[in-house]
Amino acid sequence: MSTVNNTAPDEPGARVYNLSEHRTTAAESSQPVVEGTAQHSPADTGSAGAEQPQDGAHTPQVVTGAAATELDARVRRGELRTIPQTRAGRARVVVVTRGGKAVRRTMREGWTVAQGHASWMRRASDAVTFGHVREQIRLARMQGDSVALAEWTERLNMLKTGRAQRMRELPTTIYAGLRAAAVVTIIAAGLMVMAGLAFQLTPGGWTWGDWWGFVGGVVGVAGVFATIMLHTVLWGAAPAWLFASWREGRRAGIVPRWLVSDTERAEMDSEITPDLVTQALMHVKLPALTKFLKDGGQLEYLIQPREQGGGTYLQVRLPFGVVAANLLDSTKVELLAGNLGRHKHEVWPQRDPAADARVLDLWVADKGTMDKPAPAWPLLETGEFDVFRDRIPFGVTMRQNQIEVGGLQKHWLIGATSKQGKSTVMRLIALCLALDPTIEMKIADLKGDGDWKMFEPRVTTFIEGSTEEDAEATCTMLEWGVAEMERRYQAKADQNIVGPITREISRRKGSGFHPVYLFVDECQVLYGAEHPVGGTKADARAVKAAKRLHDQARAVNIHLMQATQRPDDRTLPVRVREGAHVRGSLNVPNKSTARMILADAVDRGARPEDLRAGADAGTIVMTGEVEDIPAGQAFVIVRTHYVSTKDSYAVIARAMDILKRHGRQVSTSEVEQPAQIDHLANLERALYDEPRARTAVVLARLIEHDPGTYTAMTAQTFAALLVELGVPIRKSNGDSVIRAADITAAITKRDNGSSDEDEDDTADTGSGDREDA
C-alpha cells in the first residue's frame, strides 16, 4: 500500500504531500499488516527515534487547488485513511487502500452466482405450479378485469389437465421406450451375427474370430472416446454450472449497494428505470399504492423512462385509489426524490391536465443538471426585435429546450424572495422590448438601487425610489395608462378599426396605437402605500388603475408588467394578481406564497418553494400563456438568460442606435396624436377615373392602397363609413355601386362647409336613384 504524508505548508490553503511506496511486513511492525488499515512505522510517526527516509523516498510536494481538494474528497469517501502524527506541526498521514476493491468484486460475483441459483429455483417452482399463470389470475382479480380473469383461469385449467393426462400416459410411454430399445438391440445383434457368417463363408474372408475381434476393437475405441467425454463433462460441469448461474444472476438479480464502488453506485443512482421508479413509489407512504405494489401489482408506464434533455421523463398510470395529486405535495416529493437518489429540487412530478387524474407526469433531473447555467442571451451582441413577429428569448428549460414567450397582449407577474434574480429576469424582458423601435416604455423601480438606471434614455417615464412620492408617481403612471387605453378605444371607433390592432397600424408613425409597456418593479411598495394611493379598499387608486388595465388594456396594446418580493393580500391584492396572463415564480418561502403567484399551477405540481435559495437564482417556474410549455403540462421550469448590469448598458446603447436608424426618437409627449386620414380622397383615388364602381371593388382597392387602415373593414363597416362621409350607395343592374359624382359632391360640401341638409343625396331604392346599365 502507498502512504501519502501531508505536512503543514507555509502557503495558506496549500498542503504538502510526501508520496512514496511504503511496504511493511509483520516482522517490521509491532502489529500485523491488515489490508485497508494504516500501519504506524518510524517513518510515519516522525518520533525522535524515527528512521528517516532514504534516497529521497519522501520528497515533499506542495499541492493546492483542485488536487488538494480531490485528495481530501478521497479521504472523505474512505479511499484514503488518515493517521494523526505525534510530532507537533505535522498534519497527518494518508494511506491509500487497495485491497478492498478485489474483496468487494469477489463478494459481488459470489452474490451474482447465488442469485442465479435463486432465479432457477423460482423458475422451476413457477414451472411446477404454473406460477406465471397464477400471477396473471391474481392481477386480473385485483384490477377487477373479469374478462382477463376468465381467460387466464381457463388457460390454467387447460395446463393442469394436460399435465394430468401426460402423467397418466407416462407408464405407457416408458414401456414403449423400453420395447423400442429392446427391438433395436435385437436387430443390431442379428445384423452383426449375419455379417460374421457372411465373412466366414466368403472365400478368403475373415474367420469367425477375426470378425468378432474387429467388433471388439471398435467397441474399445468407442469406449475410450466415451471415457474422455465423461471426464470432460465431469470436470467441466462445475465451471459451466457456475458460469450459467452467474449469467442468470446478472439477468435476474440485483447487486446490493454495499457491494458496488462509489463510481458504480453513482451510475446506478443516475439511471432511472421502471423498476427503480416502482420501488420508489412503493415507499412514498401512500397505503393504497404500497399495498398494490407489495401484492405484486404492476404499474402501467404510458411513456417508458427516456432521456430528455438533462434528465429522464416518464408517464405512469397509478392504480385505483391513487391519483397524481397525492404525489405533488412537497413532503411526498422529497420522499420520492430520496428514493430515486435525488434531491428534492431535482424531481418534478406533475398532473397532466389533459389526462385522467391517475396519470403521473414525472421528470427527474440528472445529477448536476440544475447547476448548469443557461446559454448566452441571443440578442446580447447584435439583433433587433419586432414584438409583432418575434418572441422574447427567455431561457432554457431543465430539459434543454429553448423557451420563447410572445410579448403582445399579455400582462406579467413575477414573484420571488430577495436576491433571487427577480429584477434581472424582469429587466431581461425590458431589454428585449427596448430593441423594438416602435415600443414605448415606462419604468418604475420602487427599490431604487440602480438596477434599471440604464433604461433612463430609452423610456418616456422613469421613476426610481421607494418613497411615498415615488409610489404616487407610479400610481399616476398607471392612471395615464388607463387614460391612454380609453383614448385608443375611442380612436378605434372613430377610425372604424374592428378587431385587433394590426402590425401595419401599430408601426405607422403617429398612429397612436404603438405598443406600450408599463414596468413596476417591487410593486408591493405601490400597493402597500397609504390610502388613497395604495391599500386594498375599493377606491384605492393603484388597485383601480391596475384592474382597469388588466381588464381592457391588452386589446389596445398596453401592457402591465409587475414584480414583487413580498406577495400577500395587502401588497398584492387579489384583484391585481388575477389579471396576469404570464406568471413566474423564483424561489419563494412557502407554498401559500407560491400559490399567490402561480395560482392553480401549484395544485398541478409547481413547487418554486423547493428551488434552492441562491443556488437557483435566475431559475423560474412559469405558467400561463407561455407558448413553449409542453402539451399536457401546467408549468415549465426555466433557467433564464443572464445579462449583467454592465452588458445592459451596452444593449440600451444599441437600442438608441436602432431608434435613430429608424428615424424615431423617445417622445416626451404623453400621447401621440393619430394622423388624420382623408377617406374621401382615398375613395376618389380608388375609382381610377371611372364614373362608377362596385363597392366591393372600391373596398379591395382601398385595402391594396392602405392595408393598415382598411384591412379590418367588412362590407357593413365600409357601408357605415360611406354614410358618415355622405357618399350614397346606389344600385346598378342589381349591384351596389359608388358614383364619382357623389364623391365629388361630398368633397365640395366638406370644403365649402355645407351641411348635410342643403341637399338630399342620401341613398335610397327609389327610381330616381337607380341607374340603367
Side-chain angles (χ1 to χ4, degrees):
M1 55 188 169
S2 301
T3 61
V4 182
N5 185 25
N6 179 3
T7 62
D10 295 333
E11 180 184 352
R15 291 167 175 75
V16 178
Y17 291 92
N18 288 337
L19 308 177
S20 69
E21 281 295 319
H22 176 68
R23 296 178 177 84
T24 306
T25 65
E28 295 171 338
S29 176
S30 60
Q31 300 179 7
V33 177
V34 181
E35 197 73 35
T37 305
Q39 301 297 321
H40 292 270
S41 68
D44 294 329
T45 59
S47 58
E51 180 182 350
Q52 296 302 319
Q54 299 176 357
D55 301 327
H58 293 268
T59 304
Q61 299 180 18
V62 178
V63 181
T64 62
T69 303
E70 172 63 19
L71 286 174
D72 287 341
R74 293 179 64 187
V75 171
R76 290 194 296 272
R77 292 197 298 265
E79 297 175 6
L80 307 180
R81 295 291 300 278
T82 302
I83 302 174
Q85 295 290 356
T86 57
R87 181 189 298 176
R90 311 273 305 173
R92 57 183 176 178
V93 172
V94 182
V95 181
V96 184
T97 61
R98 305 187 184 276
K101 182 176 180 180
V103 173
R104 182 171 60 241
R105 186 173 183 83
T106 302
M107 294 178 64
R108 186 170 63 193
E109 302 306 335
W111 180 275
T112 302
V113 169
Q115 286 195 315
H117 284 85
S119 175
W120 280 339
M121 293 177 64
R122 288 193 300 270
R123 293 171 66 180
S125 175
D126 288 344
V128 171
T129 62
F130 305 115
H132 62 292
V133 179
R134 296 181 185 275
E135 177 69 12
Q136 296 298 327
I137 292 174
R138 188 176 62 81
L139 292 177
R141 186 178 291 114
M142 287 178 58
Q143 296 174 358
D145 191 342
S146 58
V147 175
L149 178 61
E151 291 177 354
W152 285 107
T153 302
E154 182 181 0
R155 185 174 303 181
L156 177 61
N157 292 333
M158 291 173 60
L159 291 172
K160 292 169 68 176
T161 301
R163 183 169 64 182
Q165 181 66 24
R166 290 190 296 272
M167 292 299 294
R168 286 193 295 269
E169 296 174 352
L170 182 60
T172 304
T173 304
I174 295 175
Y175 174 73
L178 293 175
R179 185 173 58 185
V183 170
V184 171
T185 302
I186 292 171
I187 292 174
L191 290 174
M192 285 189 293
V193 170
M194 292 176 63
L197 290 174
F199 280 121
Q200 186 176 6
L201 296 176
T202 300
W206 287 352
T207 65
W208 183 258
D210 292 339
W211 165 246
W212 290 109
F214 170 75
V215 172
V218 172
V219 172
V221 172
V224 171
F225 278 105
T227 302
I228 294 174
M229 292 297 297
L230 179 62
H231 281 79
T232 302
V233 170
L234 290 177
W235 284 100
W241 181 274
L242 290 175
F243 178 73
S245 61
W246 177 82
R247 288 194 60 184
E248 178 65 16
R250 286 284 300 270
R251 183 193 68 82
I254 299 176
V255 180
R257 295 176 65 85
W258 55 274
L259 284 180
V260 297
S261 66
D262 292 340
T263 302
E264 293 168 324
R265 188 178 298 116
E267 292 177 356
M268 292 170 60
D269 290 344
S270 65
E271 184 177 3
I272 303 298
T273 63
D275 289 340
L276 178 60
V277 174
T278 299
Q279 289 294 318
L281 291 173
M282 184 187 299
H283 297 89
V284 293
K285 296 184 179 180
L286 289 177
L289 180 58
T290 302
K291 183 178 186 303
F292 174 81
L293 294 175
K294 285 189 174 181
D295 289 344
Q298 300 290 325
L299 295 175
E300 179 184 0
Y301 284 87
L302 304 178
I303 297 177
Q304 290 286 327
R306 66 188 185 193
E307 182 178 349
Q308 188 180 77
T312 302
Y313 173 68
L314 60 97
Q315 268 195 0
V316 58
R317 189 187 300 279
L318 302 172
F320 292 135
V322 185
V323 295
N326 297 144
L327 293 164
L328 303 185
D329 182 76
S330 185
T331 56
K332 295 297 182 186
V333 173
E334 186 171 18
L335 190 54
L336 176 62
N339 294 342
L340 293 172
R342 297 292 193 275
H343 295 290
K344 181 167 59 172
H345 69 276
E346 295 175 322
V347 176
W348 293 90
Q350 295 191 39
R351 177 187 169 191
D352 185 347
D356 62 71
R358 290 194 293 133
V359 174
L360 177 68
D361 186 287
L362 180 63
W363 186 77
V364 182
D366 293 339
K367 292 185 175 181
T369 291
M370 299 288 285
D371 299 324
K372 296 178 181 178
W377 188 45
L379 296 174
L380 182 61
E381 301 293 339
T382 59
E384 294 187 19
F385 183 74
D386 185 337
V387 74
F388 278 89
R389 294 178 175 175
D390 304 328
R391 291 191 293 170
I392 299 170
F394 198 63
V396 294
T397 70
M398 297 296 101
R399 309 179 192 196
Q400 306 300 312
N401 297 322
Q402 180 71 37
I403 283 288
E404 295 180 344
V405 187
L408 270 181
Q409 299 195 359
K410 296 174 182 178
H411 303 303
W412 287 59
L413 174 62
I414 294 178
T417 52
S418 180
K419 299 186 182 300
Q420 298 308 303
K422 165 183 51 60
S423 296
T424 304
V425 171
M426 182 70 82
R427 191 174 68 189
L428 176 71
I429 304 168
L431 287 171
C432 189
L433 296 173
L435 297 175
D436 185 331
T438 68
I439 287 178
E440 179 181 359
M441 302 170 63
K442 295 177 179 292
I443 292 177
D445 175 15
L446 297 181
K447 182 166 52 179
D449 61 352
D451 286 343
W452 296 82
K453 195 72 174 177
M454 69 288 299
F455 284 91
E456 196 164 6
R458 177 62 180 82
V459 300
T460 57
T461 299
F462 186 74
I463 301 166
E464 187 177 51
S466 57
T467 66
E468 290 291 329
E469 291 76 14
D470 296 315
E472 184 170 3
T474 304
C475 181
T476 302
M477 182 180 80
L478 298 191
E479 291 171 338
W480 172 89
V482 174
E484 172 67 1
M485 174 190 73
E486 294 173 344
R487 184 199 67 78
R488 292 188 176 201
Y489 272 107
Q490 183 60 48
K492 281 184 67 178
D494 293 343
Q495 299 177 39
N496 294 293
I497 299 175
V498 179
I501 297 171
T502 64
R503 179 179 183 275
E504 289 75 15
I505 296 176
S506 176
R507 296 181 74 86
R508 189 170 58 236
K509 291 183 180 181
S511 69
F513 293 106
H514 58 284
V516 173
Y517 289 83
L518 310 175
F519 285 86
V520 183
D521 193 12
E522 308 294 350
C523 67
Q524 73 277 357
V525 175
L526 171 63
Y527 300 113
E530 294 295 329
H531 188 79
V533 171
T536 59
K537 295 182 179 180
D539 60 343
R541 290 171 55 193
V543 173
K544 287 172 60 178
K547 188 175 186 306
R548 288 288 308 280
L549 292 172
H550 278 167
D551 289 345
Q552 296 178 283
R554 70 169 178 166
V556 288
N557 292 345
I558 298 177
H559 313 84
L560 179 58
M561 324 287 282
Q562 300 184 100
T564 179
Q565 65 172 307
R566 289 200 308 273
D568 57 44
D569 287 332
R570 169 169 170 75
T571 59
L572 190 64
V574 176
R575 290 183 296 170
V576 173
R577 60 179 184 257
E578 283 183 346
H581 305 102
V582 177
R583 297 165 175 251
S585 176
L586 296 93
N587 171 266
V588 291
N590 49 54
K591 185 175 182 178
S592 61
T593 304
R595 189 184 300 278
M596 286 193 173
I597 302 297
L598 301 179
D600 60 352
V602 173
D603 299 325
R604 297 178 180 177
R607 305 180 340 269
E609 69 274 16
D610 287 343
L611 294 172
R612 297 165 297 173
D616 289 328
T619 299
I620 184 170
V621 181
M622 298 186 68
T623 187
E625 296 183 13
V626 180
E627 291 84 349
D628 288 338
I629 292 181
Q633 296 183 15
F635 62 91
V636 66
I637 309 161
V638 182
R639 293 197 308 272
T640 58
H641 298 299
Y642 174 70
V643 180
S644 67
T645 300
K646 178 181 177 181
D647 290 335
S648 298
Y649 278 95
V651 173
I652 293 301
R654 188 167 89 245
M656 299 305 294
D657 290 340
I658 292 172
L659 277 174
K660 183 178 180 180
R661 189 165 63 248
H662 284 268
R664 295 174 181 265
Q665 58 184 359
V666 178
S667 174
T668 57
S669 60
E670 293 294 339
V671 178
E672 296 182 42
Q673 296 301 323
Q676 298 297 321
I677 300 174
D678 191 343
H679 292 290
L680 288 174
N682 290 341
L683 286 170
E684 188 176 37
R685 189 182 304 113
L687 284 181
Y688 293 170
D689 296 328
E690 298 173 1
R692 61 179 176 272
R694 293 169 53 199
T695 55
V697 172
V698 173
L699 178 57
R701 292 172 180 174
L702 288 171
I703 292 173
E704 182 180 1
H705 170 69
D706 188 354
T709 302
Y710 298 104
T711 297
M713 282 195 178
T714 64
Q716 290 77 15
T717 55
F718 184 52
L721 175 62
L722 293 174
V723 171
E724 182 180 347
L725 296 173
V727 177
I729 298 176
R730 303 188 183 272
K731 292 292 183 180
S732 177
N733 291 337
D735 294 329
S736 297
V737 298
I738 301 173
R739 295 190 313 172
D742 294 331
I743 297 175
T744 302
I747 293 174
T748 301
K749 285 193 301 180
R750 182 194 64 186
D751 294 342
N752 293 334
S754 303
S755 63
D756 292 339
E757 289 78 9
D758 290 343
E759 58 180 291
D760 185 10
D761 282 336
T762 57
D764 59 47
T765 58
S767 60
D769 288 332
R770 298 185 64 87
E771 295 189 0
D772 296 329

